[in-house]
Amino acid sequence: MLRWAGEDPAREGLLDTPSRVVRSYEEFFEGYAVNPEELLQRTFSEVDDYDEIVLLRDIRLESHCEHHMVPIIGRAHVAYLPRKRVVGISKLARVVEAYSRRFQIQERLTSQIANTIDSVLEPYGTAVIIEAGHQCMTTRGVHRPGVSMVTSRMLGVFRDNSDTRRELLSMLNRPGMNDFSA
């Protein structure tokens, strides 16, 4: 790639570039080495009959467009309505990361996350909403910075029950808390 771009790979500033690129790609695509279903295996059933929506919102995601190999940067909101057990919230973020650290299109990424959570946890319903910017659109091609794409996958009660869907969407429309450490 360096030669193709017209660079001299022997130039001092580029000597370590090939190994740096390899290390960065190992990190960018580490999701291929992770089984997202295994992340959700440890659950907790002692929840004192908790039967309301669990929502983890604003999960930052970084992925790469499978068509142009450029970044997709955004955030995911993951919700489920537990049947009898819950999972540690960090596991939900790890499922998002496991799928996003692969070559993706956003529609498939959204479905993979929702389908996995739904299949493993067997909740009453699962919802995933992703909002992301795609550099294949913002830095090349049509050059439209500031555009974001929103996708959703609603399963179970989030698909079938308009009141439950509306409750979830109202939870997402509330202002977020940027810092809980105060």
Side-chain angles (χ1 to χ4, degrees), residues 81-95:
L81 189 58
R83 191 175 301 270
K84 293 182 181 173
R85 56 195 179 125
V86 298
V87 68
I89 60 173
S90 69
K91 304 306 185 213
L92 298 174
R94 289 174 196 245
V95 169

Side-chain angles (χ1 to χ4, degrees), residues 55 57 77 166-176:
L55 168 63
R57 65 188 221 181
H77 312 291
R166 203 170 11 262
E167 180 182 355
L168 170 66
L169 295 175
S170 79
M171 291 169 75
L172 286 171
N173 286 329
R174 292 186 186 139

